[in-house]
Amino acid sequence: MAVLLLAEHDNATLNDATAKTVTAAAQMGGDIHVLCAGSDCGAVAAEAAKLSGVTKVLCAKDPAYGHDLAEPLADLIVSLAGDYDHIVASATTSGKNVMPRVAALLDCMVISDISGVHSADTFERPIYAGNAMATVQSTDAKKIITVRGASFDVAAMDGSAAVEEIGAVANPGLSEWVEDKVVESNRPELTSAKIVISGGRGMGSAENFELVDKVADKLGAAVGASRAAVDSGYAPNDYQVGQTGKVVAPELYIAVGISGAIQHLAGMKDSKVIVAINKDEEAPIFQVADYGLVADLFDALPKLESAL
């Protein structure tokens, strides 16, 4: 029994989500082999080799893998699948893009967004926007899985696995990279930040959203947003936290002007401490908050920034 784990990286550094996925993979049993595929991912492979529990790192260097295109990555994974019982990836945008294609090519089901491992073939995953937990058992010969990183701890960096270079497979040519539009920020990445402050529809405008930015800068926090705020144009899409956005579990989550729809709660309710600021004392967000402040955010946020 062995696990093939797709590493997520930017060709320079390993994403924290990979270390959390290794923790989940270790609970499935067997050796863990990490696949690093990229245009020049030697440094990433060396970093992955240090993850506790990893026994081998497979490094595939080819321009076709340099921009996370799902089709060539899926073909590479399928070419390696014969030696593995489990094929896993983080439940990130990239993982959710690649793994269903792998499952289709292998004629298996995909078990998405797992938050717990009961045994080698039985897993726990949230359903109904996290309002219920389903325990699912797969009888497929190969288990294709994406892992919700917020539910697992980061694996230690005390390993020393061997790194083996492997060749690329033929590019199916079904897609091509055109360009990346990357937002430059000095703030931590949203899904791995220890502190997150999010704004909702109550912010009123993109200009007012700067109040959240100012507090985030004082706290060294990442900035998030509800879907309502994103749809209203107050914040960019990559800020969105929730069922159709990013799932976060920071040590501190501050929700400002967010009512607390279940779709948003599904993306942040595993946070260690939740603080809510809302002028509506009946807002659902207060039902999950550890600390609630019933106040006008336009009065509370400037005072909070000043106090910090």
Side-chain angles (χ1 to χ4, degrees):
M1 183 182 295
V3 179
L4 179 65
L5 189 154
L6 177 63
E8 185 160 338
H9 59 88
D10 59 2
N11 285 298
T13 56
L14 202 61
N15 191 307
D16 279 351
T18 301
K20 295 176 180 179
T21 305
V22 168
T23 300
Q27 298 174 25
M28 300 173 196
D31 293 339
I32 300 173
H33 294 178
V34 174
L35 172 61
C36 292
S39 56
D40 185 14
C41 55
V44 175
E47 189 178 354
K50 296 178 183 177
L51 289 168
S52 179
V54 173
T55 54
K56 183 190 288 187
V57 176
L58 304 175
C59 181
K61 298 178 184 177
D62 192 274
Y65 308 133
H67 298 285
D68 262 352
L69 294 181
E71 291 83 1
L73 273 175
D75 279 9
L76 175 63
I77 293 170
V78 170
S79 73
L80 300 168
D83 297 329
Y84 300 97
D85 302 293
H86 298 79
I87 302 173
V88 302
S90 309
T92 56
T93 301
S94 178
K96 291 176 180 178
N97 195 18
V98 175
M99 299 310 275
R101 289 175 163 85
V102 173
L105 292 169
L106 293 174
D107 195 23
C108 297
M109 66 183 287
V110 60
I111 306 171
S112 60
D113 216 24
I114 69 164
S115 56
V117 179
H118 288 218
S119 68
D121 64 357
T122 307
F123 311 93
E124 188 177 274
R125 62 181 302 273
I127 58 174
Y128 304 130
N131 283 313
M133 302 302 292
T135 300
V136 296
Q137 186 175 33
S138 171
T139 57
D140 281 337
K142 297 189 183 300
K143 281 66 174 176
I144 316 299
I145 299 165
T146 61
V147 175
R148 174 175 285 203
S151 301
F152 296 93
D153 294 330
V154 175
M157 298 292 288
D158 57 5
S160 56
V163 177
E164 177 186 327
E165 291 204 10
I166 61 172
V169 296
N171 189 340
L174 298 173
S175 60
E176 65 178 10
W177 174 79
V178 177
E179 66 174 332
D180 286 334
K181 293 184 178 179
V182 181
V183 177
E184 295 292 338
S185 175
N186 292 324
R187 298 193 185 106
E189 205 275 324
L190 184 57
T191 55
S192 59
K194 292 184 178 180
I195 303 174
V196 174
I197 177 168
S198 291
R201 193 198 307 272
M203 298 307 302
S205 70
E207 290 74 23
N208 291 338
F209 213 89
E210 292 179 6
L211 293 171
V212 172
D213 293 335
K214 291 178 180 178
V215 175
D217 289 339
K218 289 288 182 70
L219 289 171
V223 175
S226 68
R227 178 169 181 171
V230 170
D231 286 350
S232 299
Y234 304 165
N237 286 350
D238 58 336
Y239 280 22
Q240 185 175 325
V241 172
Q243 185 180 15
T244 53
K246 294 177 179 176
V247 177
V248 300
E251 293 178 9
L252 173 63
Y253 186 88
I254 305 174
V256 183
I258 294 175
S259 63
I262 59 171
Q263 290 85 355
H264 184 76
L265 299 184
M268 46 64 75
K269 64 186 180 66
D270 290 331
S271 303
K272 304 298 184 292
V273 176
I274 299 172
V275 176
I277 302 174
N278 199 301
K279 66 180 180 181
D280 178 10
E281 65 183 35
E282 301 297 326
I285 191 71
F286 289 124
Q287 296 176 16
V288 299
D290 298 288
Y291 300 93
L293 177 62
V294 179
D296 186 330
L297 67 88
F298 297 110
D299 179 49
L301 279 186
K303 288 181 178 178
L304 177 59
E305 183 202 354
S306 176
L308 290 168

